[in-house]
Amino acid sequence: MTARAFASPDKGLEKASVDPQVLDWAQCLAAMPAARHLVESTTPKALRERLIALLCQGPGLVWANCLYLDGSGRWLGLDGSDAQFDCSDFGHPYAHVIRSGKSLSLSVRDARARLDCPAFQAQVAALDGQLRLQVRPLRAANGARTWLGALALVGESESVRALAHDEGLAALEALTCQLWHRLTQQQGERQRSQVLKDSLAKLNEGARRQALAERLAGDLLGGSAAMQLLRKQMVRAAETNLAVLVQGETGTGKDRVARAIHGASQRAQGPFMAINCAAIPETLLESELFGHEKGAFSGADQARDGLISQADGGTLFLDEIGDMPMALQAKLLRVLESGRYRPLGASEERRADLRLIAATHQPLRERIQEKRFRADLYYRLGQFPLQVPTLAERRDDIALLTDAFIADFCSREARPPMGITPAALRQLKARHYPGNVRELKNLIDYACAMTPSGGDIEAYALPGEQAPLGEALADGAPVVGEAALALTDDVIDLRQTLREVEAAIIRQRLQRFDGNRTQAAESLGLPKRTLAHKCRLLELDSK
């Protein structure tokens, strides 16, 4: 191969400088019209592929490969292959070239005999042993002489030997190295730019979600870890159109979760239709959901749209889905799968674009085993399951919830602002809440009603726990004879029991006299100061 194999017919490379340090792109392009398409490469990989295609057009060459050095500088890779060559392994010729910085030329037969790298041997296994291999180092002509990779050429012996002095190949190689280095830098800049862009996008998305979660905190109070996690999950749910199954004990606020998800979703401007499946008779539930045509049944004097139709473009919330009759479950499943439904008495199906949120306190898996709930509907409803924590799992939120409920009561009842004493708050935090947040709200409403205007809620204003002895004493009922013995069967700590009895009696008397300690003390036959002292000892006041 001669310089004319890669040079232009006019003038050629005889007058072009081929020193890699001073090589100019314009000179290269003027000297090598056949290589101009290399400049059109947009990535280092595309450049290498075009270089190999161009080289294989030269006379005498039967095989060519361009290896690239990876980011670690330790491995040489090959486009389109999983093969990797360790630069410290001298069992292949590429390591010799990279380490020495000089070209290496030997016959294929010698390469097979002298080099034992399995990956390299696999490369040359099908080549004729009479052919010659030349490996050339590729380095960028910058101040640091950056390593790029290696060029491997196989061809007829005389042709390959001539390549060592071929000015056209030298110019082509220099141009390739300059383009390669430039494209690598550009690719690195693009990657860094993309990483920065992705990072900013994640930060913005994270900030957006955090702001949305904080907005949800206005509807779902609580700074506990359980509530923070729930709000984050709700934000994720709001970003999708997946069916949401909200599970949790009674009184945990499942309906508020459903409304908050709707309000945070892209359907927020659409309708939010809700129905309690346990509160409507089975004979009416189907009509409420699917609607009916005029004359569909006795009493259907006119056509009526059901909630599915009314929720088109918005959200349908089915509370207590665990109590839905089996026959309706099959029809609801069809709506979820196809978006189609048929009103009672209608001859044609209709379509509805809605997002379904269902809630239940029922153990649905158990109801599936009992054949009272469809498994296929359960899995379709549970595309995005949410578990609302009990109040016992978020006791740290009781103070915040209490303040909110007090403010709500005062607003509704046009009462002046009031607070709650530390003793009363301690009592609230120590209670058992089978009714969860709803029970807490009812307790606060009662205590607010029992507290004189302008005062703070004290411990005596709170209803007692549902213990038999406490109930009897708080109600003022006489406890004598066998009844008294029955009530004391569970006594373990007599001193603590007497303390609870005394506290229950004093609380009941304070409630009877609207917190007037003078009247309560007189009714118990105690000096007022003694009653005040007992209130402090029993934590029935703020001190």
Side-chain angles (χ1 to χ4, degrees):
M1 180 179 293
T2 65
R4 294 191 179 277
F6 296 98
S8 169
D10 57 346
K11 303 298 182 182
L13 284 167
E14 293 83 356
K15 298 182 180 179
S17 171
V18 294
D19 184 354
Q21 296 291 341
V22 298
L23 187 65
D24 180 79
W25 285 15
Q27 288 178 315
C28 281
L29 291 175
M32 296 180 293
R36 289 177 185 172
H37 71 294
L38 293 180
V39 181
E40 300 173 0
S41 304
T42 56
T43 65
K45 181 176 182 292
L47 175 68
R48 292 190 292 268
E49 292 173 346
R50 292 186 178 194
L51 174 64
I52 296 303
L54 184 61
L55 289 173
C56 288
Q57 296 175 11
L61 286 183
V62 298
W63 182 85
N65 264 325
C66 187
L67 295 92
Y68 60 89
L69 199 65
D70 74 351
S72 70
R74 179 182 175 185
W75 297 93
L76 282 164
L78 193 61
D79 295 318
S81 172
D82 294 331
Q84 283 190 317
F85 299 90
D86 189 344
C87 292
S88 62
D89 177 11
F90 289 91
H92 57 80
Y94 313 126
H96 291 273
V97 169
I98 292 294
R99 291 295 182 178
S100 67
K102 299 178 181 180
S103 297
L104 176 66
S105 182
L106 71 168
S107 69
V108 171
R109 180 182 293 107
D110 287 344
R112 288 174 180 163
R114 294 164 52 186
L115 301 170
D116 58 2
C117 174
F120 173 72
Q121 291 296 331
Q123 278 187 310
V124 300
L127 297 175
D128 187 342
Q130 299 297 323
L131 297 174
R132 193 164 190 83
L133 167 68
Q134 185 177 116
V135 183
R136 304 165 69 100
L138 298 178
R139 301 177 75 174
N142 59 358
R145 296 283 289 171
T146 304
W147 279 106
L148 298 172
L151 184 63
L153 306 171
V154 173
E156 297 174 0
S157 182
E158 293 302 321
S159 297
V160 171
R161 281 195 175 96
L163 291 178
H165 308 290
D166 192 305
E167 294 179 338
L169 178 59
L172 183 66
E173 183 181 288
L175 172 63
T176 298
C177 288
Q178 286 200 21
L179 290 172
W180 190 341
H181 182 59
R182 178 71 60 85
L183 290 171
T184 300
Q185 287 183 319
Q186 293 175 349
Q187 189 176 58
E189 290 173 359
R190 287 194 298 270
Q191 289 174 344
R192 287 190 293 273
S193 177
Q194 187 61 45
V195 168
L196 178 59
K197 184 178 178 181
D198 293 343
S199 297
L200 290 174
K202 288 180 180 178
L203 286 173
N204 292 336
E205 185 66 11
R208 184 190 67 80
R209 285 175 174 157
Q210 182 62 31
L212 191 53
E214 291 174 358
R215 195 182 85 189
L216 291 178
D219 295 321
L220 295 162
L221 298 177
S224 61
M227 287 304 294
Q228 291 183 34
L229 175 61
L230 175 63
R231 289 195 292 265
K232 288 180 180 179
Q233 293 173 332
M234 289 169 60
V235 170
R236 294 286 189 175
E239 294 173 342
T240 74
N241 276 312
L242 298 176
V244 178
L245 179 60
V246 185
Q247 294 178 284
E249 292 184 6
T250 182
T252 51
K254 298 185 289 296
D255 56 335
R256 298 183 71 88
V257 170
R259 289 183 181 275
I261 292 175
H262 169 74
S265 72
Q266 294 182 349
R267 296 176 176 268
Q269 301 305 315
F272 179 86
M273 307 306 298
I275 187 172
N276 189 320
C277 299
I280 299 178
E282 180 177 350
T283 54
L284 297 179
L285 184 57
E286 182 175 5
S287 176
E288 287 291 322
L289 284 175
F290 295 91
H292 60 260
E293 293 293 304
K294 182 178 179 181
F297 51 84
S298 178
D301 299 329
Q302 58 184 0
R304 182 172 181 270
D305 287 335
L307 292 179
I308 291 176
S309 174
Q310 297 175 49
D312 189 28
T315 301
L316 175 62
F317 175 49
L318 300 180
D319 199 6
E320 299 302 345
I321 187 74
D323 293 304
M324 176 176 280
M326 290 289 286
L328 280 186
Q329 292 179 27
K331 295 184 177 182
L332 177 62
L333 181 62
R334 174 162 173 73
V335 176
L336 289 173
E337 291 178 340
S338 66
R340 294 181 175 275
Y341 69 100
R342 189 192 303 272
L344 293 176
S347 58
E348 296 182 354
E349 288 188 331
R350 301 178 186 176
R351 291 190 63 86
D353 173 25
L354 56 84
R355 199 266 185 83
L356 184 70
I357 301 179
T360 183
H361 73 281
Q362 302 276 9
L364 291 185
R365 290 186 179 274
E366 294 181 12
R367 293 180 76 85
I368 290 173
Q369 294 176 352
E370 297 168 357
K371 306 298 183 183
R372 299 171 64 187
F373 200 85
R374 294 178 63 102
D376 48 4
L377 178 59
Y378 170 75
Y379 293 116
R380 188 63 178 78
L381 288 172
Q383 289 179 322
F384 202 115
L386 287 176
Q387 185 70 37
V388 184
T390 64
L391 191 55
E393 296 174 288
R394 43 180 300 216
R395 289 188 179 275
D396 292 343
D397 295 333
I398 289 178
L400 181 62
L401 291 168
T402 297
D403 289 342
F405 294 150
I406 292 174
D408 178 66
F409 176 88
C410 292
S411 176
R412 284 186 286 111
E413 301 294 331
R415 295 273 296 273
M418 68 175 68
I420 183 169
T421 65
L425 188 58
R426 283 195 298 271
Q427 190 176 119
L428 285 176
K429 290 182 176 180
R431 293 177 70 100
H432 177 59
Y433 289 97
N436 292 287
V437 179
R438 183 184 296 119
E439 179 183 353
L440 175 62
K441 185 179 186 305
N442 292 339
L443 287 174
I444 297 303
D445 283 347
Y446 174 82
C448 287
M450 294 296 295
T451 299
S453 180
D456 290 340
I457 297 174
E458 298 195 42
Y460 68 78
L462 298 171
E465 292 275 6
Q466 299 302 308
L469 183 57
E471 282 183 12
L473 292 168
D475 290 340
V479 183
V480 295
E482 294 182 1
L485 293 175
L487 289 171
T488 58
D489 283 346
D490 296 329
V491 172
I492 298 176
D493 186 334
L494 180 60
R495 186 172 300 176
Q496 178 61 27
T497 301
L498 291 174
R499 177 185 173 90
E500 292 174 359
V501 169
E502 189 174 23
I505 293 172
I506 293 175
R507 184 184 297 112
Q508 186 269 336
R509 291 301 172 93
L510 287 170
Q511 289 174 351
R512 179 184 299 176
F513 295 106
D514 292 330
N516 189 312
R517 289 188 177 181
T518 300
Q519 293 180 352
E522 290 177 357
S523 72
L524 292 171
L526 295 174
K528 181 179 177 181
R529 293 181 59 184
T530 301
L531 179 62
H533 177 67
K534 287 183 177 294
C535 286
R536 286 195 297 273
L537 290 178
L538 298 172
E539 296 185 345
L540 296 177
D541 60 7
S542 60
K543 298 180 181 180

